[in-house]
Amino acid sequence: MERTPDVLSEKCIREADRYAGLGRYLEPALAAAAEIRENAALSAYTAALADAMRDRERFVQDLRTVRFPQPEPGKSTLACDFIPVLALLTQLAPSVERMRARQIPEDVIAASLENTRECLRVFERRYGRPGMDMHYFGWSQGFLDARILRIGSLEFEAVPRFGSAMTLPDRTVGPDEPVIGVHIPAGADISHAARHAAYARAREIFERSFPETRFRGFACWSWLMDPQLAELLPGSKIAAFQGEFIRCPEHWESDAVFEYVFPDPVSSPEELPEDTTLERRLKAHYLGGKRIDEMCGFIPF
């Protein structure tokens, strides 16, 4: 059986960086690989993880069983923080080939594979050091399999089942119908021009690259769909963004707002920052005993 290239070699990491564009995270990745090479158990685990990732369908099915090694108390976390990153890097070249086979444009491929660097950045902002945990590792699998693509300022996902039922004036969209999921990266431009340019190009790419699927519309599962935001921020880009979606009746309790707006851990709402209008109004909202939850919105084709 052909084995995965040496996941811990400097050559392998630098070659993968052609796709990942790690930037300032390249040197920490190389330093982590050097640490792992000195530890037989971590070396074996990282190689096994990279090998398992080659069988994409099975790996994604078994993803919930994956457990990353934890650093010893008081020791550096660098090696363990970068194990999932190093394993991901081995899959970037095969991912490029999968995307090209589906006629995905080169600029979209390049933007999509920058997800690894973005995960490192968000993790660093949240925890004060670069790395990746299971949350970001699981999210990254969609980019490797060309299920999630960065197109313009937004990210779009081929979702095989809508999961909800929508009764529209001219038809009903059922829970088993496929849709294109809309994801909003941190700091994304959601102005009218930017989002509509992304929508138009996403629909064209997905319909061409996934001809076997008849997508019924765009769907967005997000805290940005909570109608309370339009009351808190009337006339804002957020209000305009969510106003274009037809909302599903379901909602889910969620703390996602703290991941995207307030990523720095706090022990109480009183400690939340107030540096922007959004932060100030959300803080007042939570101090008033209210919360922002996730809802689903739908834009039919």
Side-chain angles (χ1 to χ4, degrees):
M1 175 181 173
E2 181 185 358
R3 290 187 59 79
T4 301
D6 184 0
V7 62
L8 299 175
S9 73
E10 181 173 340
K11 178 182 177 182
C12 179
I13 295 167
R14 289 190 181 279
E15 287 181 350
D17 188 47
R18 292 183 302 164
Y19 306 113
L22 294 177
R24 65 187 180 89
Y25 298 116
L26 176 59
E27 290 306 316
L30 293 171
E35 282 191 22
I36 295 169
R37 289 196 297 268
E38 299 299 316
N39 184 307
L42 292 183
S43 295
Y45 177 89
T46 308
L49 180 63
D51 274 337
M53 290 180 69
R54 294 173 65 239
D55 186 341
R56 296 304 305 154
E57 183 175 355
R58 181 176 179 179
F59 185 77
V60 171
Q61 288 177 349
D62 294 343
L63 184 60
R64 67 183 61 187
T65 68
V66 175
R67 298 292 183 272
F68 297 141
Q70 298 300 308
E72 296 180 20
K75 297 293 183 66
S76 168
T77 66
L78 180 67
C80 291
D81 285 341
F82 269 84
I83 283 175
V85 178
L86 297 172
L88 275 172
L89 292 179
T90 68
Q91 294 302 306
L92 296 189
S95 178
V96 169
E97 296 309 310
R98 285 190 287 271
M99 293 186 190
R100 286 174 176 164
R102 285 196 172 271
Q103 302 180 56
I104 294 170
E106 292 294 319
D107 66 313
V108 173
I109 294 174
S112 299
L113 294 185
E114 289 179 356
N115 166 73
T116 304
R117 185 182 68 212
E118 179 63 10
C119 287
L120 285 163
R121 185 191 69 79
V122 176
F123 184 96
E124 181 179 33
R125 182 182 175 189
R126 191 169 184 83
Y127 298 106
R129 64 186 193 276
M132 185 176 287
D133 58 13
M134 181 54 69
H135 172 73
Y136 297 111
F137 183 72
W139 170 246
S140 297
Q141 304 306 311
F143 292 90
L144 294 181
D145 292 333
R147 287 184 289 106
I148 305 175
L149 301 173
R150 177 70 183 252
I151 302 174
S153 62
L154 302 173
E155 292 167 347
F156 297 89
E157 179 178 6
V159 180
R161 292 187 69 255
F162 180 37
S164 298
M166 295 286 294
T167 301
L168 306 175
D170 57 341
R171 60 189 166 93
T172 297
V173 179
D176 293 324
E177 299 195 68
V179 296
I180 300 174
V182 180
H183 302 283
I184 307 91
D189 181 0
I190 58 170
S191 64
H192 184 276
R195 67 179 184 268
H196 281 272
Y199 293 155
R201 195 171 185 214
R203 182 172 180 181
E204 180 267 322
I205 289 173
F206 274 77
E207 290 182 345
R208 183 190 66 238
S209 298
F210 299 88
E212 70 278 13
T213 304
R214 183 178 176 229
F215 296 104
R216 302 303 301 273
F218 290 116
C220 182
W221 295 267
S222 175
W223 62 275
L224 287 169
M225 287 292 111
D226 191 321
Q228 296 176 97
L229 291 170
E231 299 171 7
L232 293 173
L233 300 161
S236 66
K237 293 178 183 178
I238 290 177
F241 172 82
Q242 65 168 229
E244 295 178 337
F245 288 81
I246 303 168
R247 288 188 188 83
C248 301
E250 302 96 337
H251 71 91
W252 305 269
E253 287 193 3
S254 170
D255 292 325
V257 67
F258 291 97
E259 180 177 351
Y260 293 100
V261 182
F262 301 114
D264 299 324
V266 297
S267 58
S268 66
E270 286 80 6
E271 298 178 12
L272 293 172
E274 301 180 62
D275 299 326
T276 67
T277 299
L278 177 60
E279 289 178 348
R280 288 191 291 274
R281 294 186 182 177
L282 283 175
K283 180 176 181 177
H285 191 70
Y286 275 85
L287 287 172
K290 301 177 182 178
R291 55 180 297 120
I292 299 295
D293 289 325
E294 290 193 54
M295 296 186 69
C296 174
F298 182 72
I299 297 177
F301 291 162

